[in-house]
Amino acid sequence: MQPFDYRSAAPSGLPGSGKVVLVAGGAGFLGSALCGRLLDEGNRVICVDNLLSGDLSNIADYMQHPRICFVLQDIINPLTIAGPVDEIYNMACPASPPRYQRDPIHTIRTCFEGSMTLLRLAAEKGARILLSSTSEIYGDPEITLQHERYRGNVNTVGPRACYDEGKRAAETLFWEYGAHLGAETRIARIFNTYGPRMHPDDGRVVSNFVVQALRGQPLTIYGDGAQTRSFCYVDDMVDGLMRLMASDEKMPVNLGNPGEFTMLELAQTVRDALGKPVEITFRPLPQDDPRQRCPDIARARDLLGWAPKMSLAQGLKPTIGWFTARVQAELRETTMVC
Ligand code: UDP
């Protein structure tokens, strides 16, 4: 197979002397926000994505930029790049339960085999490499603030296992490469993140609630709504990821917003942000749904000088703006068809 050579990629072969940064999963929700920030800071960006859950519309604004190129590629297949690569972010994998459960074998292969592909590339290039791991590696936690020493409570044979165990195995691979093979590895344990560019039908709770409210539908609460999550705004998360990449820390670091909400409280916050009454309907709780999730971010504070800046109420404003534009476009399309 011919290596991909970004130096001859259209339109201009990534000119300049900035770092060459490869973002796998760069057309996804979080990956595309990261690509934007990397470009803003003068880097040259190779965006790799199989477009399974990512979408070219997420990077459409950047595609005329001379310092980014796009490679359509599934990272479970070998990836060869000609020319130097300085940093690699592994952001590739659907993160929403309905999406990663659609093809569970592909999900676990993306986590494990995809990480192998990128670690091999990093070893060949001498590149620093960061894994987007997840709070899911804690499973259904038995402690209320999850710190990095907590080993988790994960079901290996449930519907979430393809993602949870895939990411756990990926962490082990990264740790082996970092601890024993001299690779410059970084491991970010990402807690629930939201913001513009989430897909309206992503299936996660923030996008579901906002889109349901905008469409005038009842908000679907799974179970009794007493389970908790902590929601981090996307720009804060991107900042944390870049700080971790720039740090010397090889052991896992939690990145998330410690503000903890029940799903009932989230529904209330969405209602307040929209300023209109919304109905609520209750649905069965999915199997193995974690009862609580709240990050201990002491290590991120100490090692990276990082803490999220945006509260949930603040972050919901631009998020609602993003979804409002999408729902209005949907309505226009429906009206035109009628
Ligand atoms: N959830 C909900 N209604 C929805 C979607 C999700 O009540 O329409 C719940 C879900 O059961 C879970 C929480 O919201 O307890 C967060 O779900 P999400 O899929 O966003 O993320 P994850 O479970 O992976 O943290």
Side-chain angles (χ1 to χ4, degrees):
M1 191 208 295
Q2 280 289 97
F4 174 78
D5 192 343
Y6 58 84
R7 294 165 300 190
S8 54
S12 46
L14 307 195
S17 56
K19 274 190 227 158
V20 177
V21 184
L22 186 146
V23 182
F29 155 60
L30 195 46
S32 60
L34 178 61
C35 287
R37 229 343 252 292
L38 287 165
L39 285 174
D40 287 347
E41 300 204 352
N43 299 285
R44 295 179 281 165
V45 178
I46 306 171
C47 172
V48 178
D49 207 298
N50 63 359
L51 301 181
L52 191 69
S53 58
D55 198 305
L56 283 180
S57 64
N58 286 335
I59 50 168
D61 289 351
Y62 320 137
M63 284 320 287
Q64 296 312 315
H65 198 296
R67 281 187 281 103
I68 188 168
C69 59
F70 177 74
V71 184
L72 179 62
Q73 160 97 38
D74 192 319
I75 57 162
I76 68 175
N77 299 316
L79 176 62
T80 51
I81 304 278
V85 176
D86 300 298
E87 292 178 354
I88 299 173
Y89 286 87
N90 181 6
M91 312 300 294
C93 193
S96 151
R99 289 203 167 205
Y100 69 65
Q101 289 168 19
R102 221 174 268 169
D103 188 348
I105 303 292
H106 190 262
T107 297
I108 196 164
R109 289 187 67 194
T110 302
C111 294
F112 187 80
E113 294 174 43
S115 288
M116 272 307 302
T117 300
L118 298 176
L119 283 162
R120 285 194 181 117
L121 183 67
E124 180 202 326
K125 302 290 181 188
R128 199 173 264 223
I129 180 166
L130 180 145
L131 171 67
S132 63
S133 184
T134 168
S135 56
E136 281 291 312
I137 67 105
Y138 300 123
D140 185 11
E142 296 139 314
I143 59 170
T144 47
L145 264 188
Q146 292 89 54
H147 52 70
E148 292 87 345
R149 296 178 315 285
Y150 178 54
R151 293 182 185 181
N153 175 33
V154 181
N155 180 4
T156 61
V157 288
R160 298 174 86 99
C162 57
Y163 185 68
D164 302 7
E165 294 294 346
K167 290 290 188 181
R168 288 172 71 96
E171 282 200 8
T172 308
L173 268 181
F174 267 68
W175 178 73
E176 286 291 348
Y177 265 78
H180 301 126
L181 299 177
E184 281 298 331
T185 49
R186 308 287 180 266
I187 301 172
R189 289 189 181 152
I190 298 177
F191 284 64
N192 296 60
T193 303
Y194 71 98
R197 294 204 189 90
M198 285 184 103
H199 195 283
D201 299 318
D202 177 70
R204 274 178 288 188
V205 69
V206 173
S207 45
N208 273 10
F209 282 6
V210 173
V211 170
Q212 287 162 345
L214 291 171
R215 287 178 182 155
Q217 299 164 345
L219 311 195
T220 51
I221 290 194
Y222 301 162
D224 61 7
Q227 71 272 35
T228 68
R229 293 292 186 277
S230 303
F231 300 102
C232 187
Y233 188 65
V234 60
D235 292 356
D236 282 332
M237 183 55 65
V238 167
D239 188 46
L241 291 168
M242 290 177 68
R243 282 172 187 247
L244 178 57
M245 181 66 105
S247 79
D248 293 328
E249 185 57 35
K250 286 190 175 183
M251 294 302 279
V253 178
N254 284 343
L255 294 177
N257 190 319
E260 188 179 11
F261 297 84
T262 66
M263 295 311 100
L264 283 167
E265 287 166 342
L266 175 67
Q268 174 88 39
T269 312
V270 168
R271 192 186 67 182
D272 294 349
L274 281 160
K276 65 174 194 177
V278 289
E279 279 179 49
I280 284 178
T281 179
F282 291 88
R283 298 272 168 80
L285 189 67
Q287 187 192 330
D288 293 340
D289 199 279
R291 282 160 299 167
Q292 51 168 303
R293 196 56 75 59
C294 186
D296 180 333
I297 58 163
R299 273 169 56 72
R301 281 184 204 276
D302 292 350
L303 296 166
L304 317 178
W306 177 86
K309 295 191 177 86
M310 292 278 262
S311 69
L312 180 59
Q314 288 168 325
L316 276 177
K317 284 185 191 143
T319 309
I320 288 172
W322 160 266
F323 283 121
T324 303
R326 255 103 226 123
V327 171
Q328 281 171 350
E330 258 174 35
L331 282 175
R332 275 197 300 276
E333 274 169 32
T334 324
T335 320
M336 280 164 73
V337 170
C338 294

